[in-house]
Amino acid sequence: MRDDRGDLIRNAHLLGFFRRICRLLFHRIRPVFVFDGATPELKRRTLAQRRRMRDKQNTRLRKTAEKLLMNTLRSRAIVSLAAGSGGAGDPAVQAIPPAAGPASTAQSN
């Protein structure tokens, strides 16, 4: 399938399939689609691999978000200490652990 300029149409196979279905429906013919059998082994392996990658990326995303949050909290605490507004009684300073972030506590859970 080509467009008016003669260029190939993207996803032409799907458009041709859709047009054929429409033509059948126009002639009052009901198409029946049969998906028979179990999932092929290759597809199962691919889906399992995608699931593992997605879980791994979600874990990395969560750890990175925790690190960013801790760095932001530390930098705000440093700024408030430098400005003289904070101190030992400041709850923002007390909430920040010294060097251990949430990543080290998340692994122990």
Side-chain angles (χ1 to χ4, degrees):
M1 285 185 156
R2 297 187 182 269
D3 61 6
D4 295 337
R5 294 180 300 170
D7 296 328
L8 287 175
I9 296 176
R10 186 176 173 185
N11 296 328
H13 62 289
L14 295 175
L15 289 173
F17 183 68
F18 181 71
R19 287 181 181 170
R20 181 169 293 183
I21 300 299
C22 289
R23 191 175 314 123
L24 289 171
L25 292 172
F26 176 77
H27 292 289
R28 297 181 188 262
I29 299 171
R30 285 189 177 177
V32 176
F33 301 98
V34 177
F35 298 95
D36 199 13
T39 307
E41 178 63 30
L42 178 61
K43 183 174 182 176
R44 276 186 263 141
R45 283 191 306 231
T46 302
L47 292 177
Q49 180 183 8
R50 288 179 185 170
R51 190 177 314 111
R52 282 192 303 270
M53 290 298 292
R54 185 172 49 243
D55 292 343
K56 183 179 175 182
Q57 291 298 329
N58 285 337
T59 302
R60 288 181 64 200
L61 175 68
R62 185 176 34 80
K63 286 182 180 181
T64 302
E66 289 173 353
K67 287 179 183 179
L68 287 171
L69 177 63
M70 291 306 297
N71 287 337
T72 302
L73 290 174
R74 281 194 186 102
S75 65
R76 286 184 182 176
I78 290 171
V79 169
S80 68
L81 285 174
S85 65
D90 190 357
V93 176
Q94 291 176 353
I96 302 172
S104 63
T105 59
Q107 292 175 353
S108 64
N109 289 340

